[in-house]
Amino acid sequence: MSLTVKSLRALRCLWRGWRCLSSRGGAMNVFDRSMKRRQKQWASSLLDSDKYDYLRDEVGSRLADRAYDVSRTFPLALDVGCGRSHIAEHLSKDIVERLFLTDISDSSLRNRKKCEMPTQCVLADEEFLPFKENTFDLVLSSLSLHWINDLPGALRQIHQVLKPDCVFIGAMVGGETLYELRCSLQLAELEREGGFAPHISPYTAVTDLGNLLGQAGFKMLTVDIDEVQVHYPGMLEVMSDLQGMGESNCAWNRKSLLHRDTILAAAAIYKEMYGNEDGSVPATFQILYMIGWKPHESQAKPAKRGSANVSFADLSKISKLQTDHQKTNEKP
């Protein structure tokens, strides 16, 4: 039986869809993890790999600041998906006494940056942490969790390896990241090819992150958003730097080929819609920061429902009471 080209394309789409919907313990299989490993291996082996570290270094610095805010010394810490160790260089041995570094790329671990505290490298996937329960006083992760297929499972494992009353501090890119590039590519493909395929990987929405942390068992949660905007000469430079960072799309349903005329059209749309007066174009990275604590009986607990002895309705009377009190004091 002969198959037409359209039939072959349909079968290929069905196969890709099956792989995306296939589960591993109920987890969505969205990303090709072996492809992401190869991308990171290639990026970390570049002779000029340092020039692509600007975003990771900036986010690593901001994440380290949050570790300093805890005002505690951590005897043993873990960096999940460390890359070339972009957090450790911003930490001192007064805060972290010893640090474990894990990543799926051995090249990234070999080419890691220097830091003050003693470190130990472990080649491990973020989805399968090879550590015992209640091992670490602090777990960190910067810009790696957005490539995880089973994010709820990864957060549960992080919760498991933490000691009670210890903290997880993480950062990952959010759903509005690279919206300029996404829109430009979609509009160009619609114009030139009559349809569009996903070129930017799907990211986690900030509205979901708190629920995921809570489901994993974390308490006293903090989630906040930051935006880092980088300016480039044009869209092609944006795509080149993403490749140098090891941040190219690795979703199973990614389109393997982008036509030259579509790229040129997308670059023109990018500059027309988002370009600056000086000719440069912005690329926005939405960063989601998260802090969660592993529960312990010594931690503060919320009061029981109905135990309050002051009504919210009485709060409106405070300003009136203050005014009356001032008037009383002003009387001779």
Side-chain angles (χ1 to χ4, degrees):
M1 180 179 65
S2 62
L3 292 174
T4 64
V5 174
K6 288 185 177 180
S7 298
L8 288 172
R9 287 177 178 172
L11 287 173
R12 184 170 61 183
C13 290
L14 287 172
W15 168 243
R16 284 185 173 181
W18 179 85
R19 286 191 300 189
C20 290
L21 293 173
S22 64
S23 61
R24 186 181 60 245
M28 295 293 291
N29 187 13
V30 178
F31 301 115
D32 183 349
R33 294 289 292 170
S34 61
M35 172 62 74
K36 179 50 58 183
R37 181 182 294 108
R38 291 194 295 272
Q39 291 174 354
K40 296 186 72 173
Q41 288 278 97
W42 178 85
S44 61
S45 63
L46 294 174
L47 295 177
D48 58 349
S49 59
D50 286 345
K51 80 174 189 177
Y52 300 109
D53 287 342
Y54 52 87
L55 180 63
R56 295 184 185 277
D57 288 342
E58 178 63 27
V59 176
S61 173
R62 298 184 187 188
L63 194 144
D65 287 342
R66 286 163 169 78
Y68 280 101
D69 291 340
V70 178
S71 300
R72 180 188 293 190
T73 298
F74 303 99
L76 187 61
L78 169 67
D79 186 352
V80 178
C82 66
R84 297 180 61 239
S85 188
H86 303 277
I87 305 175
E89 63 175 340
H90 303 289
L91 296 172
S92 71
K93 57 186 177 182
D94 296 329
I95 296 296
V96 175
E97 296 178 352
R98 189 181 174 200
L99 179 64
F100 273 69
L101 302 170
T102 69
D103 200 84
I104 59 173
S105 166
D106 60 328
S107 177
S108 297
L109 294 173
R110 285 197 306 269
N111 298 317
R112 67 188 182 278
K113 301 183 178 184
K114 296 180 180 179
C115 61
E116 290 186 13
M117 72 287 297
T119 59
Q120 183 169 342
C121 297
V122 178
L123 185 64
D125 194 313
E126 294 95 331
E127 296 185 355
F128 305 100
L129 297 180
F131 304 106
K132 294 181 180 180
E133 189 175 357
N134 301 327
T135 299
F136 296 99
D137 305 280
L138 168 69
V139 177
L140 303 165
S141 181
S142 179
L143 300 187
S144 69
L145 295 180
H146 57 284
W147 294 118
I148 297 292
N149 280 310
D150 185 11
L151 182 56
L155 292 174
R156 284 194 295 269
Q157 290 186 58
I158 290 172
H159 180 272
Q160 184 176 12
V161 301
L162 269 174
K163 295 177 182 177
D165 195 32
C166 289
V167 64
F168 165 58
I169 305 176
M172 63 187 296
V173 295
E176 297 302 315
T177 295
L178 297 174
Y179 70 88
E180 304 98 338
L181 180 60
R182 180 186 294 111
C183 292
S184 300
L185 288 171
Q186 289 177 353
L187 289 173
E189 279 193 305
L190 281 171
E191 177 190 344
R192 298 303 173 97
E193 303 177 30
F196 64 86
H199 295 285
I200 309 298
S201 296
Y203 299 125
T204 303
V206 64
T207 52
D208 299 328
L209 195 52
N211 291 333
L212 291 172
L213 289 167
Q215 291 170 8
F218 289 100
K219 303 296 181 183
M220 298 190 294
L221 307 178
T222 302
V223 177
D224 61 288
I225 309 174
D226 198 2
E227 280 193 356
V228 178
Q229 194 169 80
V230 185
H231 297 274
Y232 297 88
M235 189 195 79
L236 297 180
E237 286 77 11
V238 176
M239 298 175 70
S240 175
D241 274 26
L242 289 173
Q243 187 178 25
M245 295 176 192
E247 289 295 315
S248 299
N249 191 359
C250 69
W252 285 112
N253 64 345
R254 66 189 181 277
K255 188 177 180 180
S256 58
L257 177 64
L258 192 59
H259 297 291
R260 183 175 181 274
D261 58 339
T262 303
I263 294 177
L264 295 176
I269 293 171
Y270 201 127
K271 185 155 290 189
E272 177 66 25
M273 292 181 62
Y274 306 106
N276 301 313
E277 292 182 357
D278 61 0
S280 64
V281 297
T284 302
F285 298 88
Q286 184 188 55
I287 311 298
L288 310 181
Y289 294 95
M290 66 199 95
I291 300 176
W293 290 80
K294 188 168 183 176
H296 187 263
E297 58 183 11
S298 65
Q299 294 172 350
K301 295 178 176 60
K304 292 182 179 179
R305 186 179 179 87
S307 62
N309 51 24
V310 178
S311 172
F312 276 108
D314 297 332
L315 296 178
S316 61
K317 302 177 183 178
I318 292 178
S319 59
K320 183 177 182 300
L321 292 173
Q322 289 177 337
T323 303
D324 293 342
H325 181 69
Q326 290 176 354
K327 289 181 179 179
T328 301
N329 292 336
E330 290 174 357
K331 290 181 179 180

